[in-house]
Amino acid sequence: MVSIRTAAPALLLILAGCVSGPDHKPPEMPLPAKFSEGGTKMNGDVASSQWWTAFGDSKLNAFAAQGLAQNLTIQQTLERINQAEAAVVTAGAGGLPSLTLSGENTTSGQRGTSALRSVTGTRNSTGASASVSWLLDLWGQYRRAQEGANASLDAAYSSVDAARLTYLQDLATSYVNARYYQSLVAIAQENLKSRRDTLSLTKFQLEAGAASRLDVVQAEGLVNSTLSTIPGYEIGYRQAVHHIATLLNVPSSTIIAQMQGGGKQPVFRGSVRSGVPADLIRNRPDIRIAERTLAASTAQIGVAEAKLYPSITLSGSISPSYIHNSGSTSGNLTSWSFGPTLNLPIFDGGALRAGVKNAQSSSRENYLAWQQTVRTAIQQVEDALSAVTRDAQTVAALHAQVKSYQEALQLSTASYKDGASSLLDVLDAQRNVTAAQQSLAQAVQSSANNYVLLNVAIGAGYVPASKANVAQAPAKVVKVSAKKVN
């Protein structure tokens, strides 16, 4: 017959292996084998891809490196890692023994008269106590809590990656926009010179009797119209530069000084490997955050279920004390206690079971959120891929249009000088040139921004190529079903 002394430790070991609640399993969902306009070749790890260098712009390259080290939003997410690490310690602490020590010393006395006699005396009391408590984690409540905290820590690491990716998108887009507005200013100034030349020619012909006052007024109107557009372009440029300064955490004057003198619009040349939808599970930080959030909420089911079962707490204390009375006896006393405490949740109005249902519902919600994040990521890649594959055609056609309208302006101007055509033909040609040049600048801007969006959509470039990731605990890679969507 097995004695209670032998069976009790064995029973505790068996119960210690019990963990309530379901184990987290990587979520799965059917994904298409390829993007609608992509290939079937998979991407590797694209986290270190410095895609912005394809623009060949040294200032943009410097800004990207500078901001990855100085951006305030990224620094905030780094602090969240410290918070998540502390939460892991806190979550696991409940399942460990706790020890509390305390000590005290009290001096008391009397002085005066009592019953017609003098009373004096001093009492010195010194004591200490040590208390220990250990809640046996029989059903894995604290192990599940620590599991959930570790998943949240993984999500915090991925949040840094997501912040870097957002920063790169914001910076590159702002830089592209700043150069776009600079191009519009340059176009307006170039056209302003041409229209002023036309105004001078018209005034000369008015004096010669070959033009009317109406012609002069129309030419003046076009000059003033051009002048009115320049301040708006400069406002757009300044706002983009101010935002870049905010992203880099530097004064605006610093960026304005570096951007002065203008510069060509960033033009992407080359191709982008979009990979396949399954690559996004590994490369997109927001998908990893969603998966780790799901893992944390799954662990909370176990925490809630463990509260339904009995719990045992082992506790004990020891309190030695020493008392000294002046002029009389002294002595010491030591008291101690030890014993288990059993807690049985019998009736709570259904609160504990409601807690389990709440945790289960939260887990299902986070699974649906993970699915939605994956679907949204696929859409973002397909949208950007569709744009990038067509932008080059638009830019090429607009280049040809600008060239044609510039030739038409030269011909109409020469014809006007010879008196073979009217001023209206020249003004129309100038308007056409301006509109075509602005459309071309906008198309180049859109092409560059779509290139940025595509790289961000596939999750590329958030880790500096020359440095290891600040968080050396990347989130787990989640496997998905290889089934194709019909």
Side-chain angles (χ1 to χ4, degrees), residues 52-127:
W52 55 90
T53 60
F55 289 123
D57 193 309
S58 59
K59 282 189 175 62
L60 176 58
N61 297 342
F63 288 162
Q66 183 179 351
L68 285 171
Q70 297 179 192
N71 182 259
L72 293 178
T73 301
I74 295 175
Q75 292 181 26
Q76 291 175 51
T77 57
L78 289 172
E79 287 300 326
R80 293 186 194 123
I81 290 179
N82 296 330
Q83 297 166 23
E85 287 176 341
V88 171
V89 176
T90 302
L96 300 175
S98 64
L99 174 64
T100 303
L101 299 176
S102 64
E104 62 178 8
N105 179 270
T106 304
T107 301
S108 61
Q110 301 180 74
R111 184 178 299 277
T113 59
S114 175
L116 303 178
R117 68 185 181 87
S118 176
V119 178
T120 60
T122 302
R123 175 177 174 145
N124 191 27
S125 175
T126 302

Side-chain angles (χ1 to χ4, degrees), residues 420-436:
S421 62
S422 68
L423 175 64
L424 185 59
D425 295 331
V426 177
L427 298 182
D428 285 343
Q430 288 178 336
R431 292 191 188 95
N432 290 337
V433 169
T434 300

Side-chain angles (χ1 to χ4, degrees), residues 303-322:
V303 174
E305 287 186 359
K307 295 178 181 178
L308 297 172
Y309 307 124
S311 63
I312 298 176
T313 302
L314 303 179
S315 59
S317 65
I318 183 170
S319 302
S321 61
Y322 175 76

Side-chain angles (χ1 to χ4, degrees), residues 172-186:
T173 301
S174 298
Y175 187 85
V176 168
N177 293 342
R179 291 304 192 195
Y180 164 66
Y181 283 115
Q182 280 185 316
S183 295
L184 291 182
V185 171

Side-chain angles (χ1 to χ4, degrees), residues 1 107 131 147 168 188-189 194 218 227 287 290-291 359 433 438:
M1 181 175 180
T107 301
S131 300
E147 178 185 320
L168 289 170
Q189 290 174 341
S194 173
Q218 288 178 327
L227 283 171
I287 295 178
E291 186 275 331
V433 169
Q438 291 174 344

Side-chain angles (χ1 to χ4, degrees), residues 198-219 416 419 421-423:
T198 301
L199 176 59
S200 298
L201 175 60
T202 305
K203 287 180 178 180
F204 175 77
Q205 291 189 337
L206 175 63
E207 293 175 357
S212 67
R213 177 60 185 169
L214 177 61
D215 292 336
V216 174
V217 171
Q218 288 178 327
Y416 177 62
S421 62
S422 68
L423 175 64

